[in-house]
Amino acid sequence: MSEPAADGDYRVLGTETVYEGRIISLVRDTVAMPGGGDSIREVVRHPGAVAVVALTDDGDVVLLRQYRHPVGGYLWELPAGLRDAEGEAPLLTAQRELAEEVRMAAERWSLLTTTYSTPGFCDEQVLVYLAEGLSDVDRPVGFTVEHEELDMTVETVPLADAVQRVFDGAIRNSAAVIGLLAAAQHRAAGTTLRPVDAT
């Protein structure tokens, strides 16, 4: 029998890897509970991701329509991508994804918000950036458009229209919902944003 966790801590007593995939892994943790005893928690380990609210000088936002196999349909999303390039800082990942997916660069970057997408079973953290002062660029050298990205639609719409799509249920991707609402609030209230290198 395990000892109770001290001072209200949840302590990992043991970890077993159940599955190791190309992007995610599934582990089974045995966790000591603060009230005594222990419990099993299945956790999806994820490298994390970034998303970009790319705003034009006129206040329009760039959206993508992309097929997502797990939900069996298309979703409207922000430019985004996995933090799967070893050693690459999150901001550089965001800048790369913006260039790869919508062929844009930005003069000004801010960290808009961070979110855990599904903390009940997954450790994925998504950093959502605000990109302003947009300009057109070529895709990075060596990048190849493939798979679902071949079928992607890019659209630029007024931020207010994108926010209304959230409330209409037409935008359901969590990073997009959070990013669009945060960007709208930031523009309306002039909120203070964290440094771009914060996590």
Side-chain angles (χ1 to χ4, degrees), residues 24 27 71 83 105 126 146-148 150 186:
I24 63 167
V27 300
V71 299
R83 292 186 54 202
V126 182
E146 58 185 0
H147 307 304
E148 289 90 346
L150 288 168
H186 172 66

Side-chain angles (χ1 to χ4, degrees), residues 75-76 164-172:
L75 294 178
W76 283 102
Q164 186 59 53
R165 289 187 190 185
V166 170
F167 292 109
D168 291 342
I171 294 178
R172 294 172 287 167

Side-chain angles (χ1 to χ4, degrees), residues 64-81:
L64 307 174
R65 182 177 177 265
Q66 184 171 350
Y67 181 77
R68 292 298 187 183
H69 178 71
V71 299
Y74 288 88
L75 294 178
W76 283 102
E77 304 181 351
L78 300 172

Side-chain angles (χ1 to χ4, degrees), residues 12-51:
V12 177
L13 303 175
T15 298
E16 172 194 358
T17 299
V18 177
Y19 171 77
E20 189 75 42
R22 186 176 63 87
I23 296 170
I24 63 167
S25 61
L26 173 64
V27 300
R28 184 180 293 118
D29 287 343
T30 303
V31 184
M33 298 287 112
D38 53 70
S39 187
I40 302 296
R41 294 290 180 263
E42 294 175 340
V43 180
V44 174
R45 299 284 182 212
H46 190 284
V50 297

Side-chain angles (χ1 to χ4, degrees), residues 116-135:
Y116 287 106
S117 56
T118 50
F121 68 89
C122 183
D123 67 355
E124 179 189 27
Q125 183 185 54
V126 182
L127 288 79
V128 183
Y129 291 92
L130 178 64
E132 301 172 288
L134 302 178
S135 60

